[in-house]
């Protein structure tokens, strides 16, 4: 068991809504809300809830969602008939306009409830950070970074991250948003394009026309229009297939270390999409649970209040491993954790290998070829350092 000393001001909180996990995008859809149940069960099997404040979160209200999303979009999201229901012949244009009902963003039963629960979970986390009841607040049900003001995109309908950051901006001068999902955090970047109070940094696979969403090139640092305070406040780290723990950790520490020095954030919002792990159904990297977790550990060392969001992650057993390990890092008990998955963990057989840290060979057989040269990674670091010369607070 964990006899964790919890000094005041270092409370860790875990925000989840078990109803969210019961929703289904459809049989073959890669997004499985059930991975949140698997994560929670692993966190519980390790006894971690004893070291945290655990909240069953409520759904966000219409007004709360409306802090970012347009009313006509929310209204349609709330009334759109599920895919297998009779279509409203008056409204085909709306489904097209809002990008609802395609294969990426299907209209499933309980969609609005699912979206408002994800929003509620992240907003609750933000509120605990604002009133200093938590030092680190964990919201694995959030992290849906592609949603736009009036448009669903890439499995995301409601941008819970933007809503949570808007809440943080009421109490803190500057928010640093970091995104380690394998996809570009385009929705969050765009939402804060014209402010210097939010700096966004996304690490992602970048291959326009081939890999979703196709944005987030190295040179995309915010609109270059003349009097835009948000210029230089978007950082993109475009990567190729097969990046390793070693390369990613060194890149992450270098870039986030420098961003921290220049931007001097008052709070961190960290999106921990687990599709950047090796063996992910949609991912392309060779990251292991250790390397992914090292990003969380590095952010924790900056000693700022922090929200940790979920995001992508399409091989549920690996999502649960990473997010359980990262929960232990937030608590500070990662060195005491037994790498063997507890005997009493429900769904233990789902993990295939009974360790929290499977090797690349166990995950993939043959690791994916690494297409990231040291030369290119150095160019990226160089460009980011040049951008940061324009940022000083
Ligand atoms: C945050 N990749 C979200 C990541 C969103 C990625 C995409 C799929 C996909 C959808 C399916 C499906 C899939 C095996 C994979 C251009 C298209 C190509 C749909 C087949 N299998 C996050 C979104 C991305 C849906 N979309 O960052 C139902 O892959 O590349 C695209 C767009 C058009 C639509 N088709 C894919 O991780 C949460 N979709 C199987 C069934
Ligand atoms: Ca990313
Ligand atoms: Zn993703």
């Amino acid at each position: 068991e964990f006899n964790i000393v919890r000094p005041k001001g270092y409370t860790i909180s875990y925000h989840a809504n078990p109803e969210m996990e019961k929703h289904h995008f459809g049989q073959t859809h890669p997004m499985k809300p059930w991975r949140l149940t698997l994560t929670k069960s692993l966190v519980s099997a390790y006894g971690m809830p004893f070291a945290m404040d655990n909240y069953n979160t409520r759904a966000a209200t219409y007004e709360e969602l409306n802090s970012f999303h347009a009313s006509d979009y929310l209204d349609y999201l709330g009334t759109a008939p599920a895919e297998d229901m009779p279509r409203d012949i008056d409204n085909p244009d709306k489904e097209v306009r809002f990008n609802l009902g395609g294969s990426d963003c299907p209209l499933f039963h309980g969609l609005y409830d699912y979206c408002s629960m994800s929003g509620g979970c992240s907003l609750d986390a933000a509120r605990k950070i604002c009133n200093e009841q938590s030092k680190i607040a964990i919201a694995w049900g959030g992290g849906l970074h592609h949603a736009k003001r009036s448009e669903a995109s890439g499995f995301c309908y409601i941008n819970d991250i933007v809503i949570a950051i808007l809440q943080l901006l009421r109490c803190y001068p500057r928010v640093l948003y970091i995104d380690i999902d394998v996809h570009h955090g385009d929705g969050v970047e765009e939402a804060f394009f014209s402010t210097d109070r939010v700096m966004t940094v996304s690490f992602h696979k970048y291959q326009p026309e081939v890999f979703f969403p196709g944005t987030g090139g190295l040179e995309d640092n915010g609109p270059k229009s003349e009097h835009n305070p948000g210029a230089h406040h978007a950082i993109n780290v475009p990567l190729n297939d097969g990046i390793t723990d070693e390369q990613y950790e060194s890149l992450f520490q270098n870039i986030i270390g420098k961003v921290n020095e220049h931007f001097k954030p008052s709070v961190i919002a960290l999106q921990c999409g687990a599709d950047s792990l090796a063996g992910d159904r949609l991912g392309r990297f060779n990251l292991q649970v250790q390397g992914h977790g090292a990003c969380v550990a590095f952010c924790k060392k900056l000693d700022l209040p922090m929200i940790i969001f979920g995001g992508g992650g399409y091989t549920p057993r690996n999502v649960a491993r990473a997010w359980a390990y990262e929960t232990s890092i937030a608590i500070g008990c990662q060195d005491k954790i037994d790498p063997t998955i507890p005997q009493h963990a429900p769904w233990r057989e789902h993990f295939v290998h009974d360790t929290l840290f499977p090797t690349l060979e166990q995950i993939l057989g043959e690791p994916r070829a690494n297409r990231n040269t040291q030369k290119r990674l150095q160019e990226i670091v160089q460009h980011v350092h040049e951008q940061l010369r324009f940022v000083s607070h």
Side-chain angles (χ1 to χ4, degrees), residues 31 143 145-146 154-156 179-184 211-212 271 273-276 280 282 311-314:
M31 179 56 100
H145 58 178
H146 298 305
F155 318 162
C156 306
D179 185 317
I180 61 170
D181 190 289
V182 77
H183 299 99
H184 177 223
F211 196 73
F212 188 86
Q271 197 268 21
D275 47 7
S276 42
D280 188 84
L282 300 191
Y314 306 101

Side-chain angles (χ1 to χ4, degrees), residues 24-86:
H24 298 274
F25 281 63
Q27 272 294 304
T28 58
H29 198 286
M31 179 56 100
K32 309 269 180 224
W34 169 83
R35 68 212 172 114
L36 299 168
T37 313
L38 196 62
T39 302
K40 183 65 183 288
S41 84
L42 193 54
V43 165
S44 299
Y46 274 113
M48 289 189 246
F50 293 109
M52 303 185 282
D53 287 348
N54 302 282
Y55 295 100
N56 255 336
T57 58
R58 59 181 180 81
T61 64
Y62 181 94
E63 286 69 30
E64 289 166 341
L65 301 177
N66 205 198
S67 68
F68 175 54
H69 292 284
S71 303
D72 59 346
Y73 175 64
L74 291 176
D75 293 340
Y76 193 70
L77 201 59
T79 56
E83 229 104 272
D84 54 356
M85 301 298 278

Side-chain angles (χ1 to χ4, degrees), residues 165 168-169 173-177 197-199 263 265-267 269:
I165 291 178
L168 293 176
L169 287 172
R174 283 183 303 283
V175 180
L176 172 57
Y177 173 69
R197 291 183 62 201
V198 180
M199 179 143 203
F263 181 62
S266 21
V267 57

